[in-house]
Amino acid sequence: MSSQPSDPLAAVDALLAAVEAGHLLPAPAERVRLREAAGLTQAAVAQALGVRIPSIQAWEEGRAEPKPERLQAYRRLLEGLAQRYPAPARPHPLPPTPDATAPLALTGPATARPVRPTAAARRPVREHGAAHVAAAPYRHGPLAVLDGDGSAYAVGGVVLDCPATTITELVEWTLKESGLGAERLNRNGKDSDPLIVLTASAAVKLGLPERLEGREERRSLRLADDHPVVKQIGKAKWQLTQRGFGPWARIYRKAEGGARQCVQLAVLSWDALDTRSWPGVAELAPADIARVLGVYAQRVITPRGSTAVSGLELMTALRPPTRAVQENGTWVSGHNPGSLGSDPMDPAPPEAIAEHPVVVRSGWSGGFLNEEAYQWVRDPALLSDEECLLPYAVGLDLNTAFLAAAARLVVGLSAPDHFHRPVFNKKIPGSWLADLSRIELDPRLPSPFTPDGTRPTGPAWYQTHTLAYAQELGHDVHPIEAYLRRETGAYLDPWHDRLKTAYLDTLADLGVTADLTDAGFLAAMEHHKQTDPAMAAALAAIKATVKGGIGKLRERPQGRTYRDGDTWPAMQRPTWRPDIRAAVISKARVNMHRKLTNMVKLTGLFPLAVLSDCVVYPSPGASPLDFLPYEASGKPLMGGFRLGPTPGLAKLEGAQEMSWAVDLMEKGLNPARHIKGGDAVLDDGE
């Protein structure tokens, strides 16, 4: 059936009238540019316009246009943004690059071996690489795993021939011939440097020790400055970062003509892939390592170090500190709204740690924020006979609780200002000194105001969410003083959105989807790691990225030579923001307490113990289905713990006999720490 207009002339006249009246919207790509330039998320725009996020996505992709009742408001928004963020001039168009959002072709099961192209097919990569890179700079994906025979395993089953026999030759080949790298995650950011992962045999072939040996090397986790490879790099006019040549090494030259010259190396036999974050990955075949890291690179970011480092780097990649701005007719680098900026910022004294120069110089003795995750065990004397007679203790674990807490979290973007006797405002992020010790709560629940769940004993510093929750519980809040920030924003929104999508997509690859029944979800979670161990390792890395990235916001000084009051490398970056870390943890702890309280209202059940995002309940059966609240129709009741894959929902952590849990509690141990394993009684890891 034809889709042609019945009256083309009338349609053209209507189109011309719309142009003349200024009713047409900018092109879809420009809509995206304007929103991102302002640091706005699709969720923020959707909320302002009263529509759902998929509508904004459709408008920005050109698949749909706003209906008349939303058209004028959306056009007004875009026009206002266009005045603030005019399109930068582009005198030299960039070469086309692959769509960064397009899914990478991945190999099949973890045991599948890639198909090596014929010599004729591979020859252009080796002999005419420069010309091909100019046309498609990242045609082979973000990374490759190099084996000792010169085979470089990239994503999608591609195997490249790498003729390099030295580290400097490898760097040159990677930049000029490999076609490796990844497009920037934000138009104001930088493309990701290519990553080459070295197997043990490749490391030895290139002149590196299979393992770091010697007391000095083990302590510093890097090659000595007089090592031949380090000398070779300097002689070839390449540079190493201050970290030197360690498990993750960055080799670079200063950018020429705006083009970065940098390669990231990861040495597997030097424990570049921590087994806690990348379980079993280092032992996989090179092609399978490339598959796992490729999934992570596509869905999160090209690894740049530990998952904690990558989590922090992802924040900056999604919210670059600078953007191009016009000044006196010239394009210069300026502050990117919504970012943390390019310069480090001193925290308020109560937000810092005792070693920080701000604390040492000022002689601060007024206490510190203690916004940490729960580590609480109920007093065994408060257990009822009915609870003790229940046969099981069942642990629930909240999926990526810190990630859920980061959603739509407003944090401070500017320096803190000091206030005395301020009126509390739950919309202002900051640190408040207040006395919550008079608030009495049921002792069978942890206090929401302290990490150990005990009642506060006097005035203490709290993050905004903690005081807001005290108000929510019906208590007056009268701060004594506060350090507040005037400029605010949902800095972590893009980080949350990307990691949430990565987490859910990877779970779906393992057969765990949102459309499962609760019983089906529990069954899928029980076997998901065996479905595809390589993909399960990618899931573990994504979860570690969340926790590690939040932890890095307050990285402490390291090394035996450190003295209190000295600066340390981590605090000299804009992302050293202990106040943002405190905001995430405060919100996560409040979310947990709210669910605990609602569970009492819905079921009458009180928890036995809580450890961060894990809670243990007494239960008549070994499954969460035996005690979670449901309607008569089988639909989960809102407010308490609910099962499901989405961040913030719960999964089964483990089940043990109730007598086992009571025994641990009487010994002062936390059942939530040990609920997974039967030998956990032997582990006093508290």
Side-chain angles (χ1 to χ4, degrees), residues 160-343:
L160 308 175
D161 277 338
C162 176
T165 58
T166 66
I167 289 293
T168 53
E169 288 178 357
L170 174 62
V171 171
E172 297 279 358
W173 174 83
T174 302
L175 291 174
K176 295 179 180 179
E177 300 186 46
S178 71
L180 297 173
E183 198 169 278
R184 65 198 69 185
L185 298 180
N186 182 289
R187 66 183 309 275
N188 295 308
K190 300 173 181 177
D191 291 359
S192 289
D193 300 318
L195 168 64
I196 301 292
V197 181
L198 303 179
T199 65
S201 58
V204 171
K205 176 183 176 181
L206 295 169
L208 298 171
E210 183 173 348
R211 294 196 174 274
L212 289 177
E213 296 178 354
R215 180 181 302 174
E216 179 64 26
E217 289 176 331
R218 279 203 303 270
R219 185 171 72 247
S220 61
L221 291 177
R222 66 182 185 184
L223 292 178
D225 292 341
D226 60 355
H227 190 278
V229 169
V230 177
K231 290 183 176 180
Q232 171 198 121
I233 291 170
K235 186 176 181 180
K237 306 300 182 184
W238 290 97
Q239 299 181 57
L240 290 164
T241 61
Q242 291 183 347
R243 290 188 301 178
F245 203 122
W248 291 87
R250 190 173 289 273
I251 303 175
Y252 71 97
R253 284 178 181 153
K254 291 185 177 180
E256 293 182 359
R260 286 168 61 83
Q261 300 183 83
C262 185
V263 174
Q264 176 83 56
L265 301 181
V267 187
L268 289 176
S269 57
W270 296 2
D271 300 325
L273 298 181
D274 187 330
T275 55
R276 293 169 298 178
S277 302
W278 300 95
V281 174
E283 286 73 44
L284 296 174
D288 296 326
I289 296 173
R291 177 186 178 226
V292 176
L293 296 181
V295 169
Y296 183 90
Q298 177 209 1
R299 295 178 178 177
V300 182
I301 194 172
T302 304
R304 304 185 183 184
S306 66
T307 49
V309 169
S310 297
L312 201 65
E313 292 284 343
L314 180 63
M315 296 179 194
T316 303
L318 293 168
R319 293 274 201 192
T322 61
R323 64 182 178 91
V325 297
Q326 203 166 29
E327 190 174 286
N328 298 325
T330 303
W331 288 100
V332 298
S333 179
H335 174 66
N336 186 23
S339 76
L340 298 181
S342 301
D343 300 318

Side-chain angles (χ1 to χ4, degrees), residues 623-647:
S623 168
L625 300 175
D626 295 315
F627 67 90
L628 288 179
Y630 291 88
E631 296 178 357
S633 64
K635 183 179 180 181
L637 288 173
M638 301 295 289
F641 295 99
R642 293 189 296 140
L643 299 175
T646 304

Side-chain angles (χ1 to χ4, degrees), residues 658-669 681:
M658 183 64 179
S659 59
W660 169 92
V662 173
D663 185 52
L664 282 184
M665 295 168 70
E666 291 177 340
K667 293 178 179 178
L669 301 178
V681 174

Side-chain angles (χ1 to χ4, degrees), residues 31-73:
R31 303 172 198 178
V32 175
R33 185 195 73 80
L34 291 170
R35 176 179 57 76
E36 292 181 346
L40 297 174
T41 64
Q42 291 178 333
V45 175
Q47 184 177 10
L49 297 177
V51 298
R52 298 187 307 114
I53 295 176
S55 296
I56 304 298
Q57 294 171 338
W59 299 349
E60 292 187 347
E61 294 169 6
R63 295 184 286 106
E65 293 295 309
K67 294 182 179 179
E69 61 268 22
R70 297 286 184 270
L71 177 62
Q72 295 304 320

